[in-house]
Amino acid sequence: MSRTIFYTATTLDGFLADDHHSLDWLLTQPIDEVGPFSYGAFIATIGAIAMGASTYEWVLRHNETSGDPWAYEEPSWVFTHRDLPLAADSVQLTAAPVAEVHAAMTAAADGRDVWVVGGGDLAAQFAEAGLLDEVVVSIAPVTVGSGKPLFPRRFDLELLEVDRNRAFVCARYRVVGPRLPPD
Ligand SMILES: NC(=O)c1ccc[n+]([C@@H]2O[C@H](COP(=O)([O-])OP(=O)(O)OC[C@H]3O[C@@H](n4cnc5c(N)ncnc54)[C@H](OP(=O)(O)O)[C@@H]3O)[C@@H](O)[C@H]2O)c1
C-alpha cells in the first residue's frame, strides 16, 4: 500500500528555507549519506513526486549553476499557476486539486510511496485533504528567524521513530488529523 510522505530537512525553528529561499543552512551541515533517515534509502522507495513552484524553481536554479541534470527519474508534478519551463519529460505542471493529482501520483507510483517534497503549505494541503500519511523531518542545528515555514497549518501528529544522523535529529510522524483551534 502506497504511503504519501512529506520528507524534508528543517531548521530547528521550523523553516524549510530562509526568506531568500537559501538552503545554505542545510548544505553546510555534516551528514552521513548512508546513515539513519538517509536520502538514498528514502528515494529508493519513491514512485512519484510532488513539489510547489518555489521548490521547483530552486532546483532549476541549482541545476543551472551546478550543471547537474534533473535528479528525479520518478514522474513529478509541479504545482503552479505559471507556465514554468519543463526540466524533463517526466515533469508536468498542474494547478488541479491536490486530490486529483494525488490519485494520478498513486497510480503512477504503482505501489511505491509518494513524496511531497515541499513547500510546507503544499504538504499541508495534502494533509487537509486527508492524503498525507507521514511527515519525516531531519532537524538541522540552526535557526534562521524567518523564512518558508515547515507546515503552516494546525495538525496533530504521532511520533513513530527518532534517530540521529550526525548534526541532524531525525523524526518520523504519522499525521493524525487537523487540530481544532483553542476555544
Ligand atoms: N529544507 C528542505 O529540505 C526543503 C524541502 C523543500 C523545499 N525547500 C525550500 O523551501 C522553499 C519552499 O517555498 P514555498 O514555501 O514558497 O513553497 P512551494 O510549495 O515550493 O511554492 C509555493 C508555490 O507553489 C505554487 N502552489 C502551491 N500550492 C498550489 C496549488 N494547490 N495549486 C497551484 N499552485 C500551487 C504557488 O506558485 P505560483 O506562483 O505558481 O502560483 C505557490 O506560490 C523553497 O525555497 C524550497 O527550495 C526546502
Side-chain angles (χ1 to χ4, degrees), residues 109-123:
D110 196 21
R112 303 178 112 184
D113 290 338
V114 169
W115 179 21
V116 181
V117 181
D121 188 72
L122 180 65

Side-chain angles (χ1 to χ4, degrees), residues 8-9 16-17 21 52-55 58 79-82 117 119 125 148:
T8 188
L16 297 180
H21 292 282
S54 302
T55 300
W58 185 92
F79 282 83
T80 184
H81 299 97
R82 290 172 288 143
V117 181
Q125 291 176 45
K148 307 303 168 188

